[in-house]
Amino acid sequence: MQTGIMLGKLAFLQALLGVALLCAQQPAAPSQPGLPIPNAGPSGTPDKKLSADAEKLTAKVLESYYHPDTLAGIECDVTPDWQGFFASAKVTVPPESMQAIQALKVHVRSLRDQEPEFTFKWTQAQPPNAGQIETSLKQMIGGFYNIYWPLFASPAIKYPALISKIEPQPDGTTKVYESDPNAYVVMTVDKRGTPTHYTMRSPAMNGVVDPQYTPTPHPVRGDRQRITGVEATQQAGASTTKVQVSVDYQPLGSYFVPREVSYGLVGAYTMKMEFSDCSVAGAK
């Protein structure tokens, strides 16, 4: 039984978002010789108009959707839909192995900017490939959190100084260019300031990320809508890989955190997971 089918390919999305999103949340690095200065005019001095526009745009983006910046971590039980996963991957599992796999208890503690911690409890006899199953789950759930923290739970723009160009479009959207010397990164925002499209080009690969949003039941500033889906595509040479993620939320104290997650590699498999008995986690 092959339970780790193509799970390694999901690492591309972590790399893609690492360039296109995480770098947008770090303080601006000192300019290197021969590279343009962020927010700089023709003479190399700071462009005051661009700086002011970047401040306004950043504020607009931050208010456009929900991102729990102060959430340090989440601790949950995670229940995978194994039947659906194996069916989507076209893998047949012997009944006795399926029974043991479905009885597996999974607990995950995920802190922002850290690798998740996993606890596995086999309540029935472990199948021969128990280690492979645990590794696959670590890749799958860890891959989701590698997307969740930078995209769902963090601001799209944290430091206005990272914006090198703001380009209004005829259709009312705006392209926002990031001053990253290592990659070409462009974010498109709609009229309300909502990020709707990310484009990244680098020597290693090209990629796009498209978030989808759902209005909240009672919209307020900072929680007008929530990211409920992501489609991401990576192109490296002649190879193209697509990932789709959807998220439904549950309240947790003053936060809203994932309740049901669908995580799929298009053309290969889809894994649905339920997050329950959650608590806010902090550093030990």
Side-chain angles (χ1 to χ4, degrees), residues 3-264:
T3 57
I5 297 176
M6 291 183 253
L7 290 178
K9 287 189 178 181
L10 290 174
F12 98 86
L13 191 54
Q14 179 185 358
L16 171 60
L17 292 173
V19 176
L21 296 172
L22 286 176
C23 59
Q25 298 162 34
Q26 303 300 324
S31 297
Q32 301 176 27
L35 295 175
I37 300 173
N39 292 353
S43 64
T45 59
D47 185 331
K48 293 183 179 180
K49 183 180 185 305
L50 176 59
S51 297
D53 290 345
E55 291 278 357
K56 293 178 183 178
L57 180 63
T58 299
K60 192 174 181 180
V61 170
L62 294 182
E63 291 293 345
S64 70
Y65 71 101
Y66 180 71
H67 45 88
D69 306 348
T70 60
L71 178 62
I74 313 170
E75 195 162 350
C76 298
D77 293 332
V78 180
T79 304
D81 175 10
W82 288 111
Q83 291 278 9
F85 169 68
F86 288 125
S88 68
K90 297 179 174 58
V91 173
T92 301
V93 182
E96 61 276 10
S97 295
M98 178 62 79
Q99 186 175 359
I101 292 171
Q102 289 183 315
L104 171 64
K105 303 296 183 182
V106 184
H107 187 80
V108 185
R109 174 185 173 89
S110 177
L111 300 182
R112 189 184 293 267
D113 300 325
Q114 296 186 28
E115 290 297 317
E117 299 176 5
F118 292 83
T119 302
F120 298 102
K121 183 179 180 181
W122 293 90
T123 60
Q124 297 188 14
Q126 292 188 20
N129 58 346
Q132 184 185 11
I133 294 171
E134 292 180 6
T135 298
S136 296
L137 277 175
K138 288 179 179 179
Q139 293 175 334
M140 184 78 70
I141 300 172
F144 166 69
Y145 276 120
N146 284 331
I147 301 171
Y148 173 76
W149 289 114
L151 182 60
F152 290 75
S154 298
I157 307 173
K158 190 172 182 179
Y159 298 96
L162 286 171
I163 297 176
S164 62
K165 183 180 179 182
I166 298 173
E167 187 177 74
Q169 302 297 300
D171 62 359
T173 63
T174 301
K175 289 188 176 181
V176 184
Y177 295 80
E178 181 184 316
S179 53
D180 181 359
N182 300 313
Y184 175 84
V185 181
V186 182
M187 176 177 66
T188 302
V189 301
D190 65 14
K191 297 177 181 179
R192 296 183 298 176
T194 305
T196 59
H197 183 75
Y198 297 87
T199 301
M200 187 273 287
R201 293 204 302 265
S202 71
M205 64 180 178
N206 300 330
V208 297
V209 177
D210 293 309
Q212 292 94 42
Y213 301 82
T214 299
T216 56
H218 306 287
V220 296
R221 292 183 62 185
D223 189 15
R224 304 188 190 282
Q225 54 189 344
R226 298 172 194 161
I227 301 177
T228 52
V230 172
E231 293 186 0
T233 303
Q234 178 217 25
Q235 185 172 4
S239 175
T240 299
T241 309
K242 296 183 179 180
V243 165
Q244 294 178 334
V245 181
S246 62
V247 177
D248 183 31
Y249 292 88
Q250 61 183 320
L252 179 60
S254 61
Y255 301 106
F256 293 95
V257 300
R259 181 178 69 89
E260 292 183 346
V261 173
S262 176
Y263 190 48

